[in-house]
Amino acid sequence: RYRPQATPSGPGDYGLVSIAPPADFYRNNSFARFDYVPRQGSDRIFARFLRDGTNEPDLIFSPYRDFSTPFQQSAVSAALGWSRSIRAGVLNTARLGWSGDLTRFESRHGELPQLVDYDKIEQIYPVILPGTPSEYNYRSSGSNWELSDQLSITGNRHIFTAGGSYYQRNLNLNLGYIPQVLSFPSLQDFALGQIDLLATVVDRTVGNNEPVN
């Protein structure tokens, strides 16, 4: 089901093949702004939007296309503002802003165990079995809300400023490990299903000690 990017040729159970790991890196940026000033000139409305994202599809490369571990990072922010000149020398400004960020390092097919083969071809080249090359997943996201209002009064020789703001920060972190690791002494043992070592993660907070998914 999970085929390698290239199929080795030759007699026997082993074969050598040359695979060049890709070095793809994608980045995209978006920016937009809007400003509006009515004819009266006492009000000013503005809006801002910004997005930045990066993507590395094969940060941890696997010769099996379905198991390379990607890395993704993105950030988005938006803001609205309104300022009004109440009278000469008196200015009120209100702002509302939101921003969010996401960092993902997630193994593909994390529901499958990690397969390890300690055998080596010609005592040099390791045997790579289908499975995720990373032992854990990482996902971190956050969002911010900010609301502020400010009143400025300009006199002959002084400037008085008063205001207030509200700020809220939300964080979410998820760090998960691959639930099982199966190791085999050789490729023949893998073909026969003879496991040398089984390692699993157990949640001790669960009474029946079920493996962590």
Side-chain angles (χ1 to χ4, degrees), residues 44-170:
R44 177 174 176 265
I45 301 174
F46 64 90
R48 302 288 187 269
F49 174 81
L50 176 64
R51 184 187 184 280
D52 178 75
T54 58
N55 181 19
E56 295 184 64
D58 300 280
L59 180 66
I60 300 182
F61 173 74
S62 172
Y64 301 88
R65 295 182 182 274
D66 298 301
F67 292 100
S68 293
T69 303
F71 174 79
Q72 296 175 336
Q73 188 174 30
S74 61
V76 181
S77 62
L80 296 173
W82 172 46
S83 62
R84 182 169 190 177
S85 179
I86 301 176
R87 65 172 190 271
V90 180
L91 178 66
N92 185 78
T93 303
R95 291 186 175 91
L96 174 64
W98 174 87
S99 62
D101 58 88
L102 174 64
T103 301
R104 299 174 56 185
F105 178 84
E106 296 179 335
S107 302
R108 296 170 179 169
H109 300 287
E111 73 280 1
L112 301 177
Q114 187 179 31
L115 303 179
V116 180
D117 190 339
Y118 295 108
D119 201 2
K120 290 188 177 181
I121 303 175
E122 300 179 0
Q123 304 300 321
I124 299 176
Y125 305 101
V127 176
I128 301 177
L129 300 176
T132 173
S134 177
E135 297 181 354
Y136 65 93
N137 296 324
Y138 176 85
R139 181 185 178 95
S140 175
S141 62
S143 62
N144 306 309
W145 283 98
E146 184 174 5
L147 175 64
S148 64
D149 187 81
Q150 178 178 293
L151 179 66
S152 301
I153 302 176
T154 304
N156 294 331
R157 302 177 58 183
H158 304 280
I159 298 177
F160 301 92
T161 302
S165 64
Y166 171 78
Y167 180 82
Q168 178 178 321
R169 171 72 169 165
N170 300 318

Side-chain angles (χ1 to χ4, degrees), residues 5 23 39 43 76 97 106 109 128 137 158 170 172 187 189 202 209:
Q5 298 189 22
R39 293 184 178 180
D43 295 286
V76 181
E106 296 179 335
H109 300 287
I128 301 177
N137 296 324
H158 304 280
N170 300 318
N172 184 18
L187 187 60
D189 294 320
V202 177
N209 292 331

